[in-house]
Amino acid sequence: AGGLFPEQASALAAAAIKGDREAADRCDAVFAGPWDLFRVHGSLRLLYAAENMLRLTETSPPKPLLGPDEGLTVSLRKALPL
């Protein structure tokens, strides 16, 4: 997710490096929704979908992986820190 959301990931890393647990927890909370979806549905296919939503690419996951269905796509869009 750091490649998709570098500002948020950088803030998380900076807080962790400084040992600021409260700030790190706040930054990590931004990614809670995507992490939950990645654990349940697999991160690779959802990262492809997120990249497409952000208009970074128009590619599909390699076969035999399938992209998310419409319901999962809606959930992903709501979970992304946009």
Side-chain angles (χ1 to χ4, degrees):
L4 295 177
F5 307 104
E7 291 176 13
Q8 294 91 335
S10 179
L12 174 58
I17 289 169
K18 288 193 305 189
D20 186 343
R21 179 65 186 230
E22 288 182 26
D25 286 346
R26 280 192 308 275
C27 294
D28 187 52
V30 170
F31 295 110
W35 292 162
D36 290 343
L37 291 173
F38 291 170
R39 276 191 289 278
V40 174
H41 301 284
S43 60
L44 183 60
R45 68 190 193 122
L46 293 182
L47 283 174
Y48 272 91
E51 291 168 349
N52 288 325
M53 286 177 195
L54 296 169
R55 301 186 194 286
L56 297 174
T57 186
E58 292 182 8
T59 60
S60 299
K63 294 186 183 207
L65 297 177
L66 300 174
D69 63 23
E70 186 176 334
L72 183 53
T73 298
V74 169
S75 295
L76 178 61
R77 189 178 311 277
K78 288 179 182 176
L80 292 176
L82 302 175

Coordinates of all heavy atoms in Angstrom, one line a residue:
A1 N 0.8 -1.2 0.0 CA 0.0 0.0 0.0 C 0.9 1.3 0.0 O 0.4 2.3 -0.4 CB -1.0 0.0 1.2
G2 N 2.1 1.1 0.4 CA 3.0 2.3 0.5 C 3.2 2.9 -0.9 O 3.4 4.1 -1.0
G3 N 3.2 2.0 -1.9 CA 3.4 2.5 -3.3 C 2.2 3.2 -3.8 O 2.3 4.1 -4.6
L4 N 1.1 2.9 -3.3 CA -0.2 3.5 -3.7 C -0.5 4.8 -2.9 O -1.1 5.7 -3.4 CB -1.4 2.6 -3.6 CG -1.4 1.3 -4.5 CD1 -2.6 0.5 -4.2 CD2 -1.4 1.7 -5.9
F5 N -0.1 4.8 -1.7 CA -0.4 5.9 -0.8 C 0.9 6.3 0.0 O 1.1 6.1 1.2 CB -1.5 5.5 0.2 CG -2.7 5.0 -0.4 CD1 -3.0 3.6 -0.5 CD2 -3.6 5.8 -1.1 CE1 -4.1 3.1 -1.1 CE2 -4.7 5.3 -1.7 CZ -4.9 4.0 -1.8
P6 N 1.9 6.9 -0.8 CA 3.2 7.2 -0.2 C 3.1 8.2 1.0 O 3.9 8.0 1.9 CB 4.0 7.7 -1.4 CG 3.0 8.1 -2.4 CD 1.8 7.3 -2.2
E7 N 2.3 9.2 0.9 CA 2.2 10.1 2.0 C 1.8 9.5 3.3 O 2.4 9.7 4.3 CB 1.3 11.3 1.6 CG 1.9 12.2 0.5 CD 0.9 13.3 0.1 OE1 0.0 13.5 0.8 OE2 1.2 13.9 -1.0
Q8 N 0.7 8.7 3.2 CA 0.2 8.0 4.4 C 1.2 7.0 5.0 O 1.4 6.9 6.2 CB -1.1 7.4 4.1 CG -2.2 8.3 3.8 CD -2.4 8.6 2.3 OE1 -1.5 8.5 1.5 NE2 -3.6 9.0 1.9
A9 N 1.9 6.3 4.1 CA 2.8 5.3 4.5 C 4.1 6.0 5.1 O 4.6 5.5 6.1 CB 3.2 4.4 3.3
S10 N 4.5 7.1 4.5 CA 5.6 7.8 5.0 C 5.4 8.3 6.4 O 6.2 8.3 7.3 CB 6.0 9.0 4.1 OG 7.1 9.7 4.6
A11 N 4.1 8.9 6.6 CA 3.8 9.4 7.9 C 3.8 8.2 9.0 O 4.3 8.4 10.1 CB 2.4 10.0 7.9
L12 N 3.3 7.1 8.6 CA 3.3 5.9 9.5 C 4.7 5.5 9.8 O 5.1 5.3 11.0 CB 2.6 4.7 8.8 CG 2.6 3.4 9.5 CD1 2.0 3.5 10.9 CD2 1.8 2.3 8.7
A13 N 5.6 5.4 8.8 CA 7.0 5.0 9.0 C 7.7 6.1 9.9 O 8.4 5.7 10.8 CB 7.7 4.9 7.7
A14 N 7.5 7.3 9.7 CA 8.1 8.4 10.5 C 7.7 8.3 11.9 O 8.5 8.4 12.9 CB 7.8 9.8 9.9
A15 N 6.4 8.1 12.2 CA 5.9 7.9 13.6 C 6.5 6.7 14.2 O 6.9 6.8 15.4 CB 4.4 7.9 13.6
A16 N 6.6 5.6 13.5 CA 7.2 4.4 14.1 C 8.7 4.6 14.4 O 9.1 4.2 15.4 CB 7.0 3.2 13.1
I17 N 9.4 5.2 13.5 CA 10.8 5.5 13.7 C 11.1 6.4 14.9 O 12.0 6.1 15.7 CB 11.5 6.1 12.4 CG1 11.6 5.0 11.3 CG2 12.9 6.7 12.7 CD1 11.9 5.6 10.0
K18 N 10.2 7.4 15.1 CA 10.3 8.3 16.3 C 9.8 7.6 17.6 O 10.1 8.1 18.6 CB 9.5 9.5 16.0 CG 10.1 10.5 15.0 CD 9.5 11.9 15.0 CE 8.0 11.8 14.8 NZ 7.4 13.2 14.6
G19 N 9.2 6.5 17.4 CA 8.7 5.8 18.6 C 7.4 6.4 19.1 O 7.0 6.2 20.3
D20 N 6.7 7.2 18.3 CA 5.4 7.8 18.7 C 4.3 6.9 18.4 O 3.7 6.8 17.3 CB 5.3 9.1 17.9 CG 4.1 9.9 18.3 OD1 3.2 9.4 19.0 OD2 4.1 11.1 17.9
R21 N 4.0 6.1 19.4 CA 3.0 5.0 19.2 C 1.6 5.6 18.9 O 0.9 5.0 18.1 CB 2.9 4.2 20.5 CG 1.9 3.0 20.5 CD 2.3 2.0 19.5 NE 1.3 1.0 19.4 CZ 1.5 -0.3 19.4 NH1 2.8 -0.7 19.6 NH2 0.6 -1.2 19.3
E22 N 1.2 6.7 19.5 CA -0.1 7.2 19.3 C -0.2 7.7 17.8 O -1.2 7.4 17.2 CB -0.4 8.4 20.2 CG -0.6 8.0 21.6 CD -1.0 9.1 22.5 OE1 -1.5 10.2 22.0 OE2 -0.7 9.0 23.7
A23 N 0.8 8.4 17.3 CA 0.8 8.8 15.9 C 0.8 7.7 15.0 O 0.1 7.7 14.0 CB 1.9 9.8 15.6
A24 N 1.6 6.7 15.3 CA 1.7 5.5 14.5 C 0.4 4.8 14.4 O -0.1 4.3 13.3 CB 2.8 4.5 14.9
D25 N -0.3 4.7 15.5 CA -1.6 4.0 15.6 C -2.6 4.8 14.7 O -3.5 4.2 14.0 CB -2.1 3.9 17.0 CG -1.4 2.8 17.8 OD1 -0.7 2.0 17.1 OD2 -1.5 2.8 19.0
R26 N -2.6 6.1 14.8 CA -3.5 7.0 14.0 C -3.2 6.8 12.5 O -4.2 6.6 11.7 CB -3.4 8.4 14.4 CG -4.1 8.9 15.6 CD -4.2 10.4 15.7 NE -2.9 11.0 15.6 CZ -2.0 11.2 16.6 NH1 -2.3 10.8 17.8 NH2 -0.9 11.8 16.4
C27 N -2.0 6.7 12.1 CA -1.6 6.5 10.7 C -2.0 5.1 10.3 O -2.4 5.0 9.1 CB -0.1 6.8 10.6 SG 0.5 8.5 10.8
D28 N -1.8 4.2 11.1 CA -2.1 2.8 10.8 C -3.6 2.6 10.6 O -4.0 1.8 9.8 CB -1.6 1.8 11.8 CG -1.7 0.4 11.4 OD1 -1.3 0.0 10.3 OD2 -2.3 -0.4 12.2
A29 N -4.4 3.4 11.4 CA -5.8 3.2 11.3 C -6.3 3.6 9.9 O -7.4 3.1 9.4 CB -6.5 4.1 12.3
V30 N -5.6 4.5 9.2 CA -6.0 4.8 7.8 C -6.0 3.6 6.9 O -6.8 3.5 6.0 CB -5.0 5.9 7.3 CG1 -5.2 6.1 5.8 CG2 -5.1 7.2 8.0
F31 N -5.1 2.7 7.2 CA -5.0 1.5 6.4 C -5.8 0.3 6.9 O -5.8 -0.8 6.3 CB -3.5 1.0 6.3 CG -2.7 2.0 5.5 CD1 -1.7 2.8 6.2 CD2 -2.8 2.2 4.2 CE1 -0.9 3.7 5.5 CE2 -2.1 3.1 3.5 CZ -1.1 3.8 4.2
A32 N -6.5 0.4 8.0 CA -7.3 -0.7 8.6 C -8.3 -1.3 7.7 O -8.3 -2.6 7.6 CB -8.0 -0.2 9.9
G33 N -9.0 -0.5 7.0 CA -10.0 -1.1 6.0 C -9.4 -1.9 4.9 O -9.8 -3.1 4.7
P34 N -8.4 -1.4 4.2 CA -7.7 -2.2 3.2 C -7.1 -3.4 3.8 O -7.2 -4.5 3.2 CB -6.7 -1.2 2.6 CG -7.2 0.1 2.8 CD -8.0 0.0 4.1
W35 N -6.4 -3.3 4.9 CA -5.7 -4.5 5.5 C -6.8 -5.6 5.8 O -6.5 -6.8 5.5 CB -5.1 -4.2 6.8 CG -3.9 -3.3 6.8 CD1 -3.4 -2.6 8.0 CD2 -3.0 -2.9 5.8 NE1 -2.3 -1.9 7.6 CE2 -2.0 -2.0 6.3 CE3 -2.9 -3.2 4.4 CZ2 -1.0 -1.5 5.5 CZ3 -1.9 -2.6 3.7 CH2 -0.9 -1.8 4.2
D36 N -7.9 -5.2 6.3 CA -9.0 -6.2 6.6 C -9.4 -6.9 5.3 O -9.5 -8.1 5.2 CB -10.2 -5.6 7.2 CG -9.9 -5.1 8.7 OD1 -8.9 -5.6 9.3 OD2 -10.7 -4.3 9.2
L37 N -9.6 -6.1 4.2 CA -10.0 -6.7 3.0 C -8.9 -7.6 2.4 O -9.2 -8.7 1.8 CB -10.4 -5.6 2.0 CG -11.7 -4.9 2.3 CD1 -11.9 -3.7 1.3 CD2 -12.9 -5.8 2.2
F38 N -7.7 -7.1 2.5 CA -6.5 -7.9 1.9 C -6.4 -9.3 2.6 O -6.2 -10.3 2.0 CB -5.2 -7.2 2.1 CG -5.0 -5.9 1.3 CD1 -4.0 -5.1 1.6 CD2 -5.9 -5.6 0.3 CE1 -3.8 -3.9 0.8 CE2 -5.8 -4.4 -0.5 CZ -4.7 -3.6 -0.2
R39 N -6.6 -9.3 4.0 CA -6.5 -10.5 4.7 C -7.6 -11.5 4.3 O -7.3 -12.7 4.2 CB -6.6 -10.3 6.2 CG -5.3 -9.9 6.9 CD -5.4 -9.9 8.4 NE -6.2 -8.8 8.9 CZ -5.8 -7.6 9.1 NH1 -4.5 -7.3 8.8 NH2 -6.6 -6.6 9.6
V40 N -8.8 -11.0 4.0 CA -9.9 -11.9 3.7 C -9.9 -12.3 2.2 O -10.1 -13.5 1.9 CB -11.2 -11.2 4.0 CG1 -12.4 -12.1 3.6 CG2 -11.3 -11.0 5.5
H41 N -9.6 -11.4 1.3 CA -9.8 -11.6 -0.1 C -8.5 -11.7 -0.9 O -8.5 -12.0 -2.1 CB -10.6 -10.5 -0.7 CG -12.0 -10.4 -0.1 ND1 -13.0 -11.3 -0.3 CD2 -12.5 -9.6 0.8 CE1 -14.0 -11.0 0.4 NE2 -13.8 -9.9 1.1
G42 N -7.3 -11.5 -0.2 CA -6.0 -11.6 -0.9 C -5.6 -10.2 -1.4 O -6.4 -9.5 -2.0
S43 N -4.4 -9.9 -1.1 CA -4.0 -8.5 -1.4 C -3.6 -8.3 -2.9 O -3.9 -7.2 -3.4 CB -2.7 -8.1 -0.6 OG -1.7 -9.0 -0.9
L44 N -3.1 -9.3 -3.6 CA -2.7 -9.1 -5.0 C -3.8 -8.6 -5.9 O -3.7 -7.6 -6.6 CB -2.0 -10.3 -5.5 CG -1.5 -10.2 -6.9 CD1 -0.4 -9.1 -7.0 CD2 -0.9 -11.5 -7.4
R45 N -4.9 -9.3 -5.9 CA -6.0 -8.9 -6.8 C -6.6 -7.6 -6.4 O -7.1 -6.8 -7.2 CB -7.0 -10.0 -6.9 CG -7.8 -10.3 -5.7 CD -8.7 -11.6 -5.9 NE -9.6 -11.7 -4.9 CZ -10.9 -11.8 -5.1 NH1 -11.4 -11.8 -6.3 NH2 -11.8 -12.0 -4.1
L46 N -6.6 -7.3 -5.1 CA -7.2 -6.0 -4.6 C -6.2 -4.9 -4.9 O -6.7 -3.8 -5.2 CB -7.5 -6.1 -3.1 CG -8.7 -7.0 -2.8 CD1 -9.0 -7.0 -1.3 CD2 -9.9 -6.7 -3.6
L47 N -4.9 -5.1 -4.9 CA -4.0 -4.1 -5.3 C -4.2 -3.7 -6.8 O -4.1 -2.5 -7.1 CB -2.6 -4.5 -5.0 CG -2.2 -4.4 -3.5 CD1 -0.8 -4.9 -3.3 CD2 -2.3 -2.9 -3.0
Y48 N -4.4 -4.7 -7.6 CA -4.6 -4.4 -9.0 C -5.9 -3.5 -9.1 O -5.9 -2.6 -9.9 CB -4.8 -5.7 -9.8 CG -3.6 -6.3 -10.3 CD1 -2.9 -7.2 -9.6 CD2 -3.1 -5.9 -11.6 CE1 -1.7 -7.8 -10.1 CE2 -1.9 -6.5 -12.1 CZ -1.2 -7.4 -11.4 OH -0.1 -8.0 -11.9
A49 N -6.9 -3.9 -8.4 CA -8.2 -3.1 -8.4 C -7.9 -1.7 -7.9 O -8.4 -0.7 -8.5 CB -9.3 -3.8 -7.6
A50 N -7.2 -1.5 -6.8 CA -6.9 -0.2 -6.3 C -6.1 0.6 -7.3 O -6.4 1.8 -7.5 CB -6.2 -0.3 -5.0
E51 N -5.1 0.0 -7.9 CA -4.3 0.7 -8.9 C -5.2 1.2 -10.1 O -5.1 2.4 -10.6 CB -3.2 -0.2 -9.5 CG -2.1 -0.5 -8.5 CD -1.2 -1.6 -9.0 OE1 -1.5 -2.2 -10.0 OE2 -0.2 -1.8 -8.3
N52 N -6.2 0.4 -10.5 CA -7.1 0.8 -11.5 C -8.0 2.0 -11.0 O -8.3 2.9 -11.8 CB -7.9 -0.4 -12.0 CG -7.1 -1.3 -12.8 OD1 -6.2 -0.9 -13.6 ND2 -7.4 -2.6 -12.7
M53 N -8.5 1.9 -9.8 CA -9.3 2.9 -9.2 C -8.6 4.3 -9.2 O -9.2 5.3 -9.4 CB -9.8 2.6 -7.8 CG -10.8 1.5 -7.8 SD -11.2 1.1 -6.0 CE -12.0 -0.4 -6.2
L54 N -7.3 4.2 -8.9 CA -6.5 5.4 -8.8 C -6.0 5.9 -10.2 O -5.3 6.9 -10.3 CB -5.3 5.2 -7.9 CG -5.7 4.9 -6.4 CD1 -4.5 4.4 -5.7 CD2 -6.3 6.2 -5.8
R55 N -6.4 5.1 -11.2 CA -6.0 5.4 -12.6 C -4.5 5.4 -12.8 O -3.9 6.1 -13.6 CB -6.6 6.7 -13.1 CG -8.1 6.8 -13.0 CD -8.6 8.1 -13.7 NE -10.0 8.3 -13.4 CZ -11.0 7.7 -13.9 NH1 -10.8 6.7 -14.8 NH2 -12.3 8.0 -13.6
L56 N -3.8 4.5 -12.0 CA -2.4 4.3 -12.2 C -2.1 3.3 -13.3 O -1.0 3.3 -13.8 CB -1.8 3.8 -10.9 CG -1.9 4.8 -9.7 CD1 -1.4 4.2 -8.4 CD2 -1.1 6.1 -10.0
T57 N -3.0 2.4 -13.6 CA -2.9 1.4 -14.6 C -4.2 0.9 -15.0 O -5.2 1.3 -14.4 CB -2.0 0.2 -14.1 OG1 -1.8 -0.7 -15.1 CG2 -2.7 -0.5 -12.9
E58 N -4.3 0.2 -16.1 CA -5.5 -0.5 -16.5 C -5.3 -1.9 -16.8 O -5.7 -2.5 -17.8 CB -6.0 0.2 -17.8 CG -6.5 1.6 -17.6 CD -7.0 2.3 -18.9 OE1 -7.2 1.6 -19.9 OE2 -7.3 3.5 -18.8
T59 N -4.6 -2.6 -15.8 CA -4.2 -4.0 -16.0 C -5.1 -4.8 -15.1 O -5.7 -4.4 -14.1 CB -2.8 -4.2 -15.6 OG1 -2.5 -3.8 -14.3 CG2 -1.9 -3.5 -16.6
S60 N -5.1 -6.1 -15.3 CA -5.8 -7.1 -14.6 C -4.8 -8.0 -13.9 O -3.7 -8.2 -14.4 CB -6.7 -7.9 -15.5 OG -7.7 -7.1 -16.1
P61 N -5.2 -8.7 -12.8 CA -4.3 -9.6 -12.2 C -4.0 -10.8 -13.1 O -4.8 -11.1 -14.0 CB -5.0 -10.1 -10.9 CG -6.4 -9.6 -11.1 CD -6.5 -8.6 -12.1
P62 N -2.8 -11.4 -13.0 CA -2.5 -12.5 -13.8 C -3.4 -13.7 -13.6 O -3.9 -13.9 -12.5 CB -1.1 -12.9 -13.4 CG -0.9 -12.4 -12.1 CD -1.8 -11.2 -12.0
K63 N -3.7 -14.4 -14.7 CA -4.6 -15.6 -14.6 C -3.8 -16.7 -13.8 O -2.6 -16.7 -13.9 CB -4.9 -16.1 -16.0 CG -5.8 -15.1 -16.7 CD -6.3 -15.7 -18.0 CE -7.1 -14.5 -18.6 NZ -8.1 -14.8 -19.5
P64 N -4.5 -17.4 -12.9 CA -5.9 -17.6 -12.8 C -6.6 -16.7 -11.8 O -7.8 -16.9 -11.5 CB -6.0 -19.1 -12.3 CG -4.8 -19.2 -11.4 CD -3.7 -18.3 -12.1
L65 N -5.9 -15.7 -11.3 CA -6.6 -14.8 -10.4 C -7.6 -13.9 -11.1 O -7.5 -13.5 -12.2 CB -5.5 -13.8 -9.8 CG -4.4 -14.4 -8.9 CD1 -3.5 -13.3 -8.5 CD2 -5.0 -15.2 -7.7
L66 N -8.7 -13.7 -10.4 CA -9.8 -12.9 -10.9 C -9.8 -11.6 -10.1 O -9.4 -11.5 -8.9 CB -11.1 -13.6 -10.7 CG -11.3 -15.0 -11.4 CD1 -12.6 -15.6 -10.9 CD2 -11.2 -14.8 -12.9
G67 N -10.3 -10.5 -10.8 CA -10.5 -9.3 -10.1 C -11.7 -9.4 -9.1 O -12.4 -10.4 -9.2
P68 N -11.9 -8.4 -8.3 CA -13.0 -8.5 -7.3 C -14.3 -8.3 -8.0 O -14.4 -7.6 -9.1 CB -12.7 -7.3 -6.4 CG -11.9 -6.3 -7.2 CD -11.1 -7.2 -8.1
D69 N -15.4 -8.9 -7.4 CA -16.7 -8.7 -8.0 C -17.2 -7.3 -7.6 O -16.5 -6.5 -6.9 CB -17.7 -9.8 -7.5 CG -17.9 -9.8 -5.9 OD1 -17.6 -8.7 -5.3 OD2 -18.2 -10.8 -5.4
E70 N -18.4 -6.9 -8.0 CA -18.8 -5.5 -7.9 C -19.0 -5.2 -6.4 O -18.6 -4.1 -6.0 CB -20.2 -5.4 -8.6 CG -20.7 -3.9 -8.5 CD -22.0 -3.8 -9.3 OE1 -22.3 -4.5 -10.2 OE2 -22.7 -2.8 -8.9
G71 N -19.5 -6.1 -5.6 CA -19.6 -5.8 -4.1 C -18.3 -5.6 -3.4 O -18.2 -4.6 -2.6
L72 N -17.3 -6.4 -3.8 CA -16.0 -6.2 -3.2 C -15.3 -4.9 -3.7 O -14.6 -4.3 -2.9 CB -15.1 -7.4 -3.5 CG -13.7 -7.5 -2.9 CD1 -13.8 -7.2 -1.4 CD2 -13.1 -8.8 -3.2
T73 N -15.6 -4.6 -4.9 CA -15.0 -3.4 -5.5 C -15.6 -2.2 -4.7 O -14.8 -1.2 -4.4 CB -15.3 -3.3 -7.0 OG1 -14.7 -4.4 -7.7 CG2 -14.8 -2.0 -7.6
V74 N -16.9 -2.2 -4.4 CA -17.5 -1.1 -3.7 C -16.8 -1.0 -2.3 O -16.5 0.1 -1.8 CB -19.0 -1.2 -3.6 CG1 -19.6 -0.3 -2.6 CG2 -19.6 -1.1 -5.0
S75 N -16.7 -2.1 -1.7 CA -16.1 -2.2 -0.3 C -14.6 -1.7 -0.3 O -14.2 -0.9 0.5 CB -16.1 -3.6 0.3 OG -17.4 -4.1 0.4
L76 N -13.9 -2.0 -1.4 CA -12.5 -1.6 -1.5 C -12.5 -0.1 -1.7 O -11.7 0.6 -1.1 CB -11.8 -2.3 -2.7 CG -10.4 -1.9 -2.9 CD1 -9.5 -2.1 -1.7 CD2 -9.9 -2.6 -4.2
R77 N -13.3 0.4 -2.6 CA -13.4 1.9 -2.8 C -13.7 2.7 -1.5 O -13.0 3.7 -1.2 CB -14.4 2.2 -3.9 CG -14.4 3.7 -4.3 CD -15.4 4.0 -5.4 NE -15.4 3.0 -6.5 CZ -14.5 3.1 -7.6 NH1 -13.6 4.0 -7.6 NH2 -14.6 2.2 -8.6
K78 N -14.6 2.2 -0.7 CA -14.9 2.8 0.6 C -13.7 2.7 1.6 O -13.6 3.6 2.4 CB -16.1 2.2 1.2 CG -17.4 2.5 0.5 CD -18.6 1.8 1.1 CE -19.9 2.1 0.4 NZ -21.0 1.3 1.0
A79 N -12.9 1.6 1.5 CA -11.9 1.4 2.5 C -10.6 2.2 2.1 O -9.8 2.4 3.0 CB -11.6 -0.1 2.5
L80 N -10.4 2.5 0.9 CA -9.2 3.2 0.5 C -9.0 4.6 1.0 O -10.0 5.3 1.1 CB -9.0 3.2 -1.1 CG -8.9 1.9 -1.8 CD1 -8.9 2.1 -3.3 CD2 -7.6 1.2 -1.3
P81 N -7.8 4.9 1.5 CA -7.7 6.3 2.1 C -7.5 7.3 0.9 O -6.4 7.8 0.7 CB -6.4 6.1 2.9 CG -5.6 5.1 2.2 CD -6.7 4.1 1.6
L82 N -8.6 7.6 0.3 CA -8.6 8.6 -0.8 C -8.9 10.0 -0.3 O -9.7 10.2 0.5 CB -9.6 8.2 -1.9 CG -9.4 6.8 -2.5 CD1 -10.5 6.4 -3.5 CD2 -8.0 6.7 -3.2

